[in-house]
Amino acid sequence: MNTTTEKNSALFEYLLRLGDTSLILGHRLAEWCGHAPILEEDIALTNISLDHIGQARLLLDYAGKIEGKGRSEDALAYHRDARQFRNLLMAEQPNGDFGNTMVRQFLISVYNFHLYSALSKSADAELAAIAAKSVKEVAYHVRHSSDWLIRLGDGTTESHERVQQSINDLWIYVDDFFNGDEVDVLLMSQNIVPDLNAIRPLWNETVQLTMVKAGLQIPQVNSAMRTGSRKGNHTEYLGYILAEMQFLPRAYPDAEWL
Amino acid sequence: MIATDTERELEFQAKIDRGEVIEPKDWMPERYRKQLIRMMSQHAHSEVVGMLPEGNWITRAPSLARKAILLAKVQDEGGHGLYIYSAAETLGIDRGEMIDQLHTGKAKYSSIFNYPTLNWADIGAIGWLVDGAAIVNQTALAKCSYGPYSRAMIRICKEENFHHKQGYQMLAYMMRGTKEQQEMAQDAMNRFWWPALMMFGPSDTDSPNSAELMRWKVKLHSNDDLRQRFIDRTVPQAEAIGLKIPDPKMKFNETTRHYEHGEIDWQEFKNVVSGNGPCNRERLRARVKADTDGKWVRDAAEAYAKKHMN
């Protein structure tokens, strides 16, 4: 393999990681449509979902071009199976209650914020442009979800207990965020992506700040953290998401939908 | 000198007849206020309940572009709901009270949303037919006598035009697609055509509120006139993309230059309005469940706001 091929194959893989996380999280948020606690949140959640779908489209479209096999954003979204998906495990976790959805959003959005901020300086101009556009949306996601974390953490006894429980439940998927591999190493060497080990302290600091304001505790995890998204080792939830999401293009393979 | 209610009502009517707009702080007859609250809250509820049948397909949209369009559309509908609730609040009722009336069945919402979305083409049919019918209604309401409602309609119609266009475009594309896609589109047409016609309400001879609302210029055209306008506009659009109107009696009258349609099944309309449509129970239960499940969140937000008032 020559170096350009190696680089492109790593970049393709990396773009799937970003794009799939956006796609799957956007899917989960869309499940809320019409069922949120107040109308303002129905609007906010569909809005954030739309941001994620928009990011997924840019990233998957670019992934297809880098791969060079003629796969479009839709071919990648609708015609891969779960083992080929590279989204973070956190993104595919069920919505649970509203607080749980906000915790999941907060943890991922803070990660996206620091990651995209760094990626906006990528040596790859296209990726830098996508990241620079996305980071503006992500800043709003961080603000929206951290506002809710603070309200729920410092609201009633019930809300505090519920949201703390969600943090405890979801925390085992945090290591997966930072579990970089040879793809990161190769792309880091060309200044295309940042070192995830440098993102982690930034993430910790932002998360810690909000947790303190919310009166919430970062859990001590004794059990092993769950990782594996970068090798397509998912939780059982992803298969059901894909069964729903991919149904039409799979059932009618000859059809085009615009 | 203190004006009597009769004098005030005469002045109010004179104002309306002169084509002036009524604003929230102006005096208005209690009946006018009540009728507007009824209409506007029903309209806002329709926007919100309407998120359910469309939301039903977001996770199954067959392309990412379509998924994004549908998300944007449903988000707009939620925004319309919020906007109309706020406009209705200028009449002295708060959103919570209106929502309670929806949940207890005292307030209605458009009967169209009690029909299920069974295949993907239904999303196109809702945009094209349902929003198309809504545009005809709302364009008329944009000239109504109550200022906040009229202004809300002007703004909302702009977005509805985009919804209408994307729905039609989607069906047009499917009609050029595979045999299965054409069948889906026709199936959606067959199920949504008659309910869309019913959206304009009963024939004027059977519409209890019409005369009063027209005198107050809350309504400017009769239900039948608006329905006719919708039909005249929509039938050629259907023909242009090869969709059949599921009405064997539909024909163009060369003399009147209007389409004539078959009898509308008003018994079905009454059934759906009185709560016995295919999805009435599901829609209302979903709304009530969202409200009940979300109570702890609203309580927490309120408790937090109280603690941090200063």
Side-chain angles (χ1 to χ4, degrees), chain B residues 12-267:
Chain B
F12 178 81
Q13 188 63 51
K15 231 171 134 178
I16 286 180
D17 293 343
R18 289 196 297 272
E20 287 175 32
V21 173
I22 307 300
E23 292 298 338
K25 286 188 177 147
D26 296 345
W27 185 88
M28 62 187 82
E30 214 33 47
R31 269 293 288 170
Y32 179 87
R33 184 186 302 277
K34 286 216 170 87
Q35 286 281 26
L36 272 163
I37 289 177
R38 180 185 63 82
M39 285 175 67
M40 292 170 78
S41 71
Q42 182 171 325
H43 192 162
H45 297 329
S46 302
E47 300 281 359
V48 174
V49 176
M51 295 175 89
L52 295 168
E54 293 191 278
N56 186 33
W57 279 91
I58 297 174
T59 55
R60 290 177 290 169
S63 73
L64 296 185
R66 278 284 149 201
K67 196 188 285 283
I69 291 171
L70 184 54
L71 271 165
K73 177 182 191 300
V74 175
Q75 189 192 332
D76 283 349
E77 309 294 6
H80 296 173
L82 200 58
Y83 199 62
I84 303 170
Y85 279 130
S86 303
E89 285 186 328
T90 63
L91 292 159
I93 182 168
D94 71 37
R95 201 204 316 178
E97 199 180 337
M98 288 184 264
I99 289 172
D100 279 346
Q101 290 176 350
L102 170 70
H103 293 172
T104 54
K106 199 182 152 204
K108 305 271 187 233
Y109 54 89
S110 179
S111 56
I112 193 80
F113 299 118
N114 290 315
Y115 290 87
T117 46
L118 300 177
N119 87 48
W120 168 248
D122 289 9
I123 296 305
I126 288 182
W128 173 47
L129 297 175
V130 176
D131 292 334
I135 288 168
V136 170
N137 263 330
Q138 292 171 6
T139 307
L141 282 168
K143 298 187 189 93
C144 81
S145 61
Y146 189 56
Y149 198 23
S150 142
R151 289 189 288 274
M153 289 305 102
I154 291 168
R155 187 168 141 171
I156 287 169
C157 273
K158 284 183 190 153
E159 292 181 347
E160 293 293 359
N161 278 320
F162 152 74
H163 300 168
H164 178 255
K165 205 168 146 188
Q166 65 82 35
Y168 185 61
Q169 183 201 35
M170 174 177 150
L171 290 179
Y173 198 79
M174 287 179 77
M175 288 304 286
R176 293 199 299 270
T178 65
K179 189 168 163 287
E180 284 106 334
Q181 284 176 300
Q182 292 168 13
E183 282 166 3
M184 278 182 210
Q186 185 63 53
D187 175 45
M189 177 76 182
N190 294 348
R191 283 179 291 108
F192 277 93
W193 174 253
W194 290 105
L197 296 191
M198 293 176 199
M199 282 174 71
F200 295 93
S203 186
D204 299 305
T205 45
D206 286 326
S207 180
N209 298 308
S210 276
E212 185 180 56
L213 295 176
M214 286 181 103
R215 182 159 51 85
W216 282 332
K217 293 191 184 165
V218 172
K219 243 178 113 160
L220 291 109
H221 308 275
S222 74
N223 293 351
D224 287 332
D225 282 353
L226 293 173
R227 183 165 22 244
Q228 188 63 49
R229 195 175 291 182
F230 170 72
I231 292 171
D232 288 345
R233 186 180 288 193
T234 309
V235 173
Q237 291 172 350
E239 285 168 352
I241 58 173
L243 278 171
K244 289 184 194 67
I245 306 284
D247 177 357
K249 290 189 178 152
M250 178 67 66
K251 64 168 194 295
F252 189 67
N253 182 323
E254 292 289 349
T255 318
T256 62
R257 311 296 296 166
H258 289 301
Y259 284 90
E260 287 170 1
H261 61 87
E263 189 63 25
I264 293 171
D265 183 356
W266 291 114
Q267 191 51 48

Side-chain angles (χ1 to χ4, degrees), chain A residues 23-168:
Chain A
L23 178 59
I24 298 302
L25 188 57
H27 178 103
R28 280 297 193 208
L29 291 169
E31 292 174 351
W32 270 103
C33 181
H35 307 283
I38 44 168
L39 184 51
E40 283 81 349
E41 283 309 305
D42 266 319
I43 298 169
L45 291 169
T46 44
N47 186 271
I48 297 171
S49 172
L50 180 56
D51 285 346
H52 282 297
I53 299 302
Q55 290 162 10
R57 292 186 64 193
L58 294 171
L59 291 159
L60 294 180
D61 175 69
Y62 186 38
K65 287 184 180 127
I66 290 292
E67 187 195 31
K69 291 181 184 165
R71 285 204 278 182
S72 64
E73 60 183 52
D74 285 338
L76 288 169
Y78 292 95
H79 295 282
R80 281 178 299 149
D81 206 343
R83 295 282 281 117
Q84 280 89 50
F85 267 73
R86 296 292 181 259
N87 59 282
L88 294 175
L89 301 181
M90 181 86 79
E92 70 204 36
Q93 298 312 302
N95 287 337
D97 65 20
F98 179 77
N100 194 75
T101 293
M102 282 301 124
V103 170
R104 185 186 65 198
Q105 191 66 38
F106 171 71
L107 299 175
I108 296 179
S109 295
V110 173
Y111 173 76
N112 278 346
F113 180 78
H114 292 298
L115 184 58
Y116 284 133
S117 297
L119 286 171
S120 67
K121 299 177 199 93
S122 169
D124 184 281
E126 177 91 25
L127 177 56
I130 296 173
K133 182 185 182 291
S134 303
V135 81
K136 292 178 199 148
E137 296 165 348
V138 173
Y140 161 70
H141 305 168
V142 171
R143 200 171 71 228
H144 182 259
S145 57
S146 54
D147 282 353
W148 271 112
L149 233 63
I150 293 166
R151 274 187 216 117
L152 297 175
D154 189 18
T156 62
T157 313
E158 182 188 4
S159 70
H160 178 88
E161 281 169 6
R162 278 183 185 242
V163 78
Q164 182 66 58
Q165 187 58 52
S166 294
I167 293 166
N168 299 350

